[in-house]
Amino acid sequence: MKLQITRLRVEQLRRFRAPFELDGFEPGLNIVAAANEAGKSTLVRAIRAAFFERHRSTQVEDLRPWGEGTGAAPQVELDFLLDGQPHRLMKSFLAKKRCVLDAGARSLEGTEAEDHLAQLFGFSFAAKGASRPENWGIPGLLWVEQGRGQELDVSHARDHLHDALRDPAGDAAAPLAASGGDALLDSLRAQRDELLTSTGKPRAAYAEVIEQAAALQAQRAALDAQITTYREQVDQLALMRQQHQADETARPWDALREELQAAQTRNEALQAGQAQLLGDRARLRQLQETRDLLAKALEGLAQQQATAQARERAADEAERQLRESDEAVAQARTQADAAQRRVDAAREAWRAASQEAQRRGLQQQLQQAQAEVVRHAENLARAEEAQERLAALRATAGSTPAIQPAELDRLLKLERAERDADLRRQAVATRLQFMLPEGQALRLQARGESHELRAEGERLVDAPATLHLPGGGQLIITPGGNDLAGLARQHADAREALQAALRSLGVDEVAQAQARQRAAADLEAQTRLAQQALAIVAPRGIDTLRGEHAQAQARHAGAQAALERLPAPPAGELPSMEEAEAAQEAAVAAEQALRKTLGEAQRRQSAAQGASEAARRELAAAQATLADPGRQQRQAQANQQLLAASAEADALAARIDLTETELQAARPDIVLQDIERLRRSIEQLMRGHQQRREQLLVLESALQQSGAQGLEEQREALAGQLAQAQRRQADLQRRAEALSLLCRKLEQKRQATLTRLQAPLQARMQHYLPLLMPGATVEMDAGLAPATLTRARLGGAVESGQLQELSFGAREQLRLISRFAYADLLQEAGRPTLLILDDALVHSDAPRLAQMKRVLFDAAQRHQVLLFTCHPEDWRDMGVALRPLA
């Protein structure tokens, strides 16, 4: 069934307070493009309200324009074609509740019209309140709200899809694929779920009986363990009594105490030896440190002697360097003074050369100033001559008014109009030709004028005229033609307009005006040439030229005065300015280098003097140290102390070696281990003996209690309860397995039926999917919704995954393709289809958007598609005009 919306009109609905209409919708793709807040989603809401909302509903306050009172009546009108038959739906809400449906010649109103639309389009109304998604059916499946393109709920339209997919020939298993089959499976699953969880584990009564049987088994096992323990404990009691009596008789811990006492005695002796060894080692370290200090003291005394000798040599060397630096300073000072004299002479020569260079420069300036005075005088004369000529031309131009080109063009147009009117008049006028003998004349009277005709010629008569014959008589001439008089009037008017224009310009004919215009143009050209000549000579004006001439004269006088103020040149030949300047620079550089050398020599002299004084002071100090009377005594005492410390250290080292050998042979660490081992053994034996006594008492008491409990009788009672619980468990297990098997078989049968029924839907999906993802496939779930995507990756690997795991944009693209496939199936089943996409595909990148455009264009060949977008630049290549919201 082919559906096409052709017109949409809204009024008093949200932002559309005034009537707003869109018409001329195409049967395929229609794109409504506008900015945000322009009303696109409002129009989509209007279409949904027209179909889904009852006209008497009070749950449509969102349709009321903002700020409007209770008097607002939102109204929607829809014109659409259904299999070529025109329909019109008019629905208004709130203040004026009304619904009218015109279907061809048939008219329905109110709920009857609404129910007819619901049955026709495959949706329903809410029993109470506003319309909800579960009521929207087929339109809810095919109409995409803004921001919801990635979502897809097929459950509310699944029955319609089953009807579209059902085999017309019938199928015994088909009810399993429909909602009735779902009810049967749900009932069986509910019975199975009473006994098993979703993972197949027992639950409820089944789990309870299993737990009961396990608990009884555990209790029986516990009783068996208690009985076994009782028997083992009887045997253990006899053995423990025998062991306890043996320990009481032998008392093995007494012998171990004697061994412990002997080990402790050996340990005390070894600790005394270790203490002595530590004291000897400490004394040896002291002796070694004393010996080192004495050796360093003797070494220091020897070093003092060497230091005194070295300082004596250093003092001699410093004295020699001081003498050399004094000589270098004297030589450098002599060279620096000579260089200063050369610098003074070079500066005097440079001043003389500079004075002569200044003289030559002033002479050159004087010559240039003289040339500028002459040049400016000539330019001023030419400028004054050009100015006089320009003034004369302007006076000539002012004496005769010029004819402008526009005025001349007007004269030429009037002349052409007069000539054309005269030619038209001549073409229609009566042509009078005459040839008269010599001396004979005729008189022609026309238009109140009289003309004498002689000899031969011709006249054009364009008005009634009288020809007077010689000797009396007249010829009345009446020109023919209906428009002759009009042509004559046109010619006269054109001639009069031409004469008036000539009079206004003060000329008699057009040629005279052309001559005046040419003369004015020549005069203007001469004036421009004179202006150019004046601009060439005096580009900034003649007054500026006069000022420049005066300035040149002033520069000439200034140069002359400056030249006269210079002193007379010195006698003899002077170097050039460049030579004098180079000589001065060379002399200054040489003088600076020598001054630098002098400074370096003076610094070295100062350093040598300081070094010589320091060396003499250090030498005196070293000599004073060597001359100290107590130095020899300290050196002898240090030698004696060093010999005594060395002898004591050698004896102490020998005793330390002997003690270490003895201690190593005695193994103090093993003696300590023996003490610890014997102590632990004594404690262990005594603790074991005491514990065994306590265990005997506890075991005797426990055996007395166990014998009075009747464990054998308790076990027999538990065995009966366990057998009963195991029979109940086996019954519930068989029921759970039977229900699981039945559900599995029915689900397999249902899946096979669904696979066969879904084949057309799968084919439609594969019609679109390669345009988006070449080589990919989508599997549908039992609810006819796309569930699993399988596609090849780079390298040939194949991957599969749930659609829900894809990105937002990919989910939206695949679920839009699913809607196109649903629309194809529903249309083939005779259901009306309409696709509405509100701001869809805004999360698609450029390559995916280009592929989805191909999919959308293909779907629009079979269905009407209303696409609302705020990105018109993305949809200019769809082959349809974009409809703006004015």
Side-chain angles (χ1 to χ4, degrees):
M1 186 178 294
K2 189 70 172 178
L3 169 65
Q4 177 191 348
I5 292 179
T6 59
R7 183 180 74 95
L8 169 63
R9 182 182 183 276
V10 296
E11 181 178 356
Q12 295 187 44
L13 195 146
R14 290 188 177 178
R15 71 180 306 276
F16 296 107
R17 288 178 169 82
F20 178 79
E21 181 174 318
L22 283 177
D23 59 0
F25 286 102
E26 298 294 331
L29 179 61
N30 298 267
I31 302 178
V32 179
N36 290 328
E37 301 295 332
K40 303 184 300 298
S41 297
T42 297
L43 295 179
V44 176
R45 172 64 177 125
I47 297 174
R48 288 179 173 274
F51 286 99
F52 296 156
E53 305 292 351
R54 292 285 191 185
H55 69 287
R56 293 189 176 276
S57 174
T58 59
Q59 304 296 320
V60 290
E61 285 294 328
D62 65 300
L63 300 180
R64 189 190 304 276
W66 286 0
E68 290 290 335
T70 57
Q75 180 175 328
V76 184
E77 287 187 15
L78 272 174
D79 289 357
F80 56 92
L81 297 175
L82 197 59
D83 277 349
Q85 184 179 11
H87 289 65
R88 171 168 292 181
L89 171 64
M90 190 286 290
K91 187 178 285 191
S92 59
F93 304 90
L94 299 179
K96 296 180 182 179
K97 300 178 179 180
R98 187 184 179 196
C99 177
V100 178
L101 175 64
D102 294 330
R106 184 183 178 190
S107 181
L108 303 174
E109 294 188 7
T111 56
E112 183 182 7
E114 292 172 338
D115 293 339
H116 177 74
L117 286 174
Q119 182 179 5
L120 189 65
F121 284 89
F123 63 92
S124 62
F125 291 98
K128 186 178 181 181
S131 179
R132 293 183 292 273
E134 55 264 30
N135 305 121
W136 296 345
I138 293 176
L141 184 65
L142 303 183
W143 298 357
V144 179
E145 293 183 275
Q146 187 178 37
R148 306 290 292 273
Q150 82 285 359
E151 301 175 4
L152 181 62
D153 187 357
V154 187
S155 61
H156 308 314
R158 190 170 61 181
D159 290 341
H160 298 288
L161 292 175
H162 281 160
D163 292 340
L165 290 169
R166 184 173 291 121
D167 186 358
D171 187 347
L176 290 174
S179 58
D182 290 342
L184 175 60
L185 266 177
D186 290 343
S187 174
L188 294 173
R189 287 170 180 161
Q191 296 178 47
R192 180 195 62 188
D193 294 343
E194 290 177 356
L195 300 175
L196 298 174
T197 65
S198 60
T199 58
K201 294 182 179 180
R203 64 183 302 177
Y206 186 18
E208 291 175 2
V209 73
I210 292 176
E211 291 176 0
Q212 182 183 4
L216 291 172
Q217 283 181 335
Q219 292 176 16
R220 187 181 66 175
L223 284 175
D224 290 341
Q226 289 180 14
I227 294 171
T228 303
T229 301
Y230 175 77
R231 294 170 181 172
E232 291 175 352
Q233 287 175 345
V234 171
D235 297 336
Q236 185 181 5
L237 178 60
L239 180 60
M240 288 177 64
R241 283 175 176 171
Q242 182 181 0
Q243 292 176 350
H244 182 70
Q245 187 61 38
D247 287 343
E248 283 289 341
T249 303
R251 296 183 62 85
W253 49 83
D254 291 340
L256 293 179
R257 280 198 182 99
E258 293 177 359
E259 294 182 12
L260 175 60
Q261 184 65 35
Q264 289 174 343
T265 302
R266 287 196 304 273
N267 183 55
E268 291 173 358
L270 291 174
Q271 287 181 351
Q274 288 178 342
Q276 180 184 355
L277 179 62
L278 291 175
D280 291 345
R281 287 175 177 171
R283 177 58 181 164
L284 179 62
R285 284 195 298 273
Q286 293 175 356
L287 291 172
Q288 289 174 346
E289 291 174 358
T290 302
R291 188 168 55 184
D292 292 340
L293 290 174
L294 292 171
K296 288 180 180 178
L298 291 172
E299 184 180 354
L301 293 172
Q303 184 65 32
Q304 290 175 356
Q305 181 69 34
T307 300
Q309 295 173 357
R311 288 179 178 177
E312 185 176 2
R313 292 192 297 273
D316 296 339
E317 178 64 22
E319 187 66 27
R320 185 188 63 78
Q321 291 180 357
L322 178 60
R323 288 193 301 272
E324 291 178 355
S325 63
D326 291 341
E327 295 173 0
V329 167
Q331 184 180 1
R333 183 175 288 110
T334 302
Q335 293 176 351
D337 293 341
Q340 182 62 47
R341 290 191 294 273
R342 289 194 296 273
V343 168
D344 295 340
R347 284 177 178 169
E348 184 62 30
W350 178 82
R351 280 194 294 272
S354 176
Q355 180 177 313
E356 288 307 306
Q358 184 179 7
R359 189 190 309 279
R360 290 192 298 273
L362 288 173
Q363 289 174 350
Q364 186 177 2
Q365 291 178 11
L366 184 63
Q367 295 174 359
Q368 292 176 352
Q370 181 64 34
E372 287 182 359
V373 169
V374 173
R375 180 170 57 81
H376 284 300
E378 293 175 353
N379 289 341
L380 182 60
R382 288 196 296 270
E384 290 175 347
E385 180 182 358
Q387 189 176 29
E388 292 176 357
R389 184 167 179 272
L390 179 62
L393 290 172
R394 287 175 174 170
T396 303
S399 63
T400 303
I403 296 177
Q404 300 300 324
E407 296 174 338
L408 182 60
D409 291 341
R410 179 170 174 269
L411 280 179
L412 293 173
K413 290 179 181 178
L414 291 174
E415 184 183 37
R416 285 195 297 271
E418 189 273 337
R419 184 168 58 252
D420 292 343
D422 186 37
L423 291 174
R424 288 194 296 273
R425 180 184 64 80
Q426 290 180 16
V428 179
T430 299
R431 188 177 302 275
L432 177 63
Q433 294 182 343
F434 57 88
M435 290 179 293
L436 299 175
E438 186 177 356
Q440 189 174 356
L442 297 175
R443 187 165 59 86
L444 178 66
Q445 188 173 4
R447 298 183 180 276
E449 298 179 357
S450 179
H451 303 278
E452 188 175 80
L453 306 180
R454 291 182 178 275
E456 63 180 23
E458 72 177 12
R459 286 277 183 173
L460 291 176
V461 181
D462 56 2
T466 301
L467 183 62
H468 297 278
L469 301 176
Q474 296 177 341
L475 293 177
I476 306 300
I477 303 172
T478 302
N482 296 329
D483 56 350
L484 180 59
L487 293 175
R489 283 194 302 273
Q490 292 177 4
H491 176 251
D493 293 342
R495 186 172 62 248
E496 180 58 29
L498 176 61
Q499 293 300 323
L502 291 172
R503 288 194 300 272
S504 67
L505 295 177
V507 295
D508 298 329
E509 56 185 4
V510 175
Q512 185 178 358
Q514 290 175 330
R516 275 180 57 186
Q517 199 273 338
R518 285 193 297 272
D522 292 341
L523 185 61
E524 183 179 1
Q526 293 177 10
T527 302
R528 285 197 300 271
L529 289 175
Q531 289 175 341
Q532 293 175 0
L534 180 60
I536 291 172
V537 179
R540 292 176 292 175
I542 193 169
D543 292 336
T544 302
L545 194 59
R546 290 192 182 100
E548 292 175 348
H549 180 254
Q551 291 175 1
Q553 289 177 333
R555 286 194 296 274
H556 179 270
Q560 182 67 40
L563 186 60
E564 291 173 355
R565 285 195 298 271
L566 288 177
E573 184 178 358
L574 295 175
S576 65
M577 185 67 180
E578 292 77 8
E579 292 174 348
E581 186 171 1
Q584 181 183 359
E585 290 177 354
V588 169
E591 190 267 342
Q592 290 176 349
L594 290 173
R595 289 293 178 188
K596 183 176 180 181
T597 302
L598 176 60
E600 292 292 335
Q602 288 174 340
R603 282 193 293 275
R604 286 195 296 271
Q605 181 188 33
S606 178
Q609 187 173 3
S612 177
E613 293 175 355
R616 285 196 296 270
R617 287 194 299 271
E618 290 175 356
L619 176 60
Q623 289 174 347
T625 300
L626 292 177
D628 184 8
R631 179 176 177 278
Q632 296 294 333
Q633 184 178 357
R634 289 195 300 271
Q635 186 174 10
Q637 290 177 352
N639 285 324
Q640 292 175 1
Q641 291 174 358
L642 180 61
L643 291 173
S646 298
E648 185 180 358
D650 293 341
L652 197 57
R655 190 170 69 183
I656 288 172
D657 292 340
L658 179 60
T659 304
E660 286 179 345
T661 302
E662 292 175 350
L663 288 175
Q664 185 174 5
R667 295 296 302 271
D669 55 334
I670 300 301
V671 173
L672 290 175
Q673 291 178 6
D674 291 341
I675 293 172
E676 181 66 20
R677 174 176 54 81
L678 292 170
R679 183 183 295 113
R680 289 183 182 181
S681 298
I682 293 169
E683 293 175 354
Q684 180 65 30
L685 288 172
M686 295 185 69
R687 186 168 54 250
H689 182 67
Q690 182 64 27
Q691 289 176 352
R692 190 175 296 111
R693 177 184 298 168
E694 294 173 356
Q695 289 174 358
L696 282 172
L697 296 175
V698 172
L699 188 56
E700 288 173 353
S701 176
L703 288 175
Q704 291 174 1
Q705 293 177 2
S706 297
Q709 289 178 356
L711 296 178
E712 297 290 343
E713 292 80 0
Q714 293 180 20
R715 185 184 186 285
E716 292 298 329
L718 280 175
Q721 295 176 10
L722 177 59
Q724 184 179 1
Q726 288 175 338
R727 286 194 298 272
R728 173 64 174 162
Q729 177 183 350
D731 292 341
L732 293 178
Q733 181 179 1
R734 285 192 296 272
R735 176 174 174 80
E737 291 175 351
L739 288 171
S740 297
L741 178 61
L742 182 57
C743 289
R744 188 163 57 252
K745 291 295 185 181
L746 289 176
E747 286 172 351
Q748 292 173 353
K749 185 65 175 178
R750 181 174 182 271
Q751 185 59 42
T753 303
L754 282 174
T755 302
R756 185 168 61 257
L757 292 176
Q758 288 177 358
L761 178 59
Q762 196 75 33
R764 296 313 302 167
M765 283 292 296
Q766 291 305 123
H767 171 76
Y768 294 110
L769 187 59
L771 298 177
L772 178 66
M773 298 178 179
T777 59
V778 169
E779 295 181 6
M780 314 299 286
D781 61 15
L784 300 180
T788 305
L789 173 69
T790 302
R791 58 185 172 182
R793 303 299 292 175
L794 293 177
V798 177
E799 64 176 9
S800 295
Q802 297 297 313
L803 259 66
Q804 195 60 33
E805 299 172 359
L806 299 177
S807 67
F808 187 100
R811 294 201 308 271
E812 182 183 33
Q813 296 153 15
L814 290 171
R815 284 169 177 163
L816 283 181
I817 286 178
S818 302
R819 288 180 169 92
F820 298 156
Y822 297 147
D824 290 348
L825 290 176
L826 291 168
Q827 189 179 70
E828 291 175 2
R831 304 307 296 266
T833 57
L834 169 66
L835 290 162
I836 299 179
L837 310 179
D838 188 4
D839 257 351
L841 299 173
V842 295
H843 297 283
S844 298
D845 56 27
R848 283 287 182 88
L849 182 59
Q851 294 165 319
M852 284 302 296
K853 288 179 182 178
R854 301 173 65 194
V855 175
L856 178 60
F857 189 82
D858 181 72
Q861 307 306 306
R862 291 173 294 281
H863 312 279
Q864 187 181 40
V865 181
L866 304 184
L867 173 65
F868 295 83
T869 180
C870 60
H871 298 283
E873 66 279 1
D874 292 339
W875 300 97
R876 302 186 191 279
D877 56 352
M878 293 303 292
V880 298
L882 273 62
R883 301 171 63 90
L885 294 184

